[in-house]
Amino acid sequence: MPVIVERPAQRYVAERATLGIPEFPRIADRLPPLVGTLAAEGVALAGAPFFRYRVLHPGQRFTVEAGVPIDGEHTPAGPAFLGELPAGRYVLDTHAGAPDGLAAATEAVLAWGAAEGLTWDRTETPDGEEWGGRLEVLRTDPREVPDPAQWVTDLLFRLAD
């Protein structure tokens, strides 16, 4: 059952791509080197890696960031960039299982929010649906738990103020 949580603003380092689902590994594969670079530079990580969906474009394409929360200041080398997740109220739901179940889990949360009369932090633009905060937080490290059926992912959707 989804719950509403209050989250503080959070700095992060990420890379961004616009792609479709078949191309998703292109951005997902950026997380390990990003984490490795931050660790090698002595940057303190402040949580689990995530995917931040910025724009859902028509035709099953989206602009997504592969990010890592950090503590403190850091200026990454390109193509990585420094960003900040906005503070606010978020709907949180946890998905246990393989990533191929995330689309259905996301639809269930959105339907729950509609039934509850919630308003999401999203805007319709000519490019598509732009989200202020829509995240998949990867709570499971695939190096430690190789079976995707055992992975745990938090879904977070920011509510409009």
Side-chain angles (χ1 to χ4, degrees):
M1 184 67 150
V3 296
I4 296 175
V5 297
E6 191 76 32
R7 290 177 49 97
Q10 176 65 62
R11 287 182 180 272
Y12 66 94
V13 173
E15 291 188 24
R16 180 182 298 139
T18 299
L19 39 71
I21 292 172
E23 305 160 290
F24 197 83
R26 191 175 87 207
I27 191 70
D29 291 346
R30 297 304 310 142
L31 282 173
L34 188 59
V35 169
T37 298
L38 292 171
E41 294 175 355
V43 177
L45 305 184
F50 61 85
F51 297 112
R52 181 179 185 186
Y53 293 85
R54 299 301 298 240
V55 181
L56 305 179
H57 302 279
Q60 303 271 334
R61 294 186 61 76
F62 44 88
T63 299
V64 63
E65 298 170 356
V68 181
I70 63 166
D71 280 332
E73 297 294 322
H74 179 66
T75 304
F81 62 90
L82 181 65
E84 184 173 274
L85 296 172
R89 294 181 322 128
Y90 286 75
V91 170
L92 164 66
D93 195 33
T94 300
H95 169 73
D100 60 3
L102 288 169
T106 295
E107 289 303 317
V109 172
L110 295 174
W112 175 85
E116 294 291 316
L118 301 177
T119 302
W120 306 111
D121 178 11
R122 68 179 173 195
T123 306
E124 292 294 335
T125 72
D127 289 335
E129 191 176 82
E130 187 173 310
W131 282 79
R134 180 174 172 160
L135 309 169
E136 292 174 355
V137 179
L138 312 174
R139 292 190 18 210
T140 306
D141 185 336
R143 296 170 300 181
E144 296 171 7
V145 182
D147 180 3
Q150 296 180 24
W151 291 356
V152 176
T153 306
D154 284 339
L155 302 173
L156 287 156
F157 302 85
R158 189 169 187 271
L159 295 170
D161 293 332

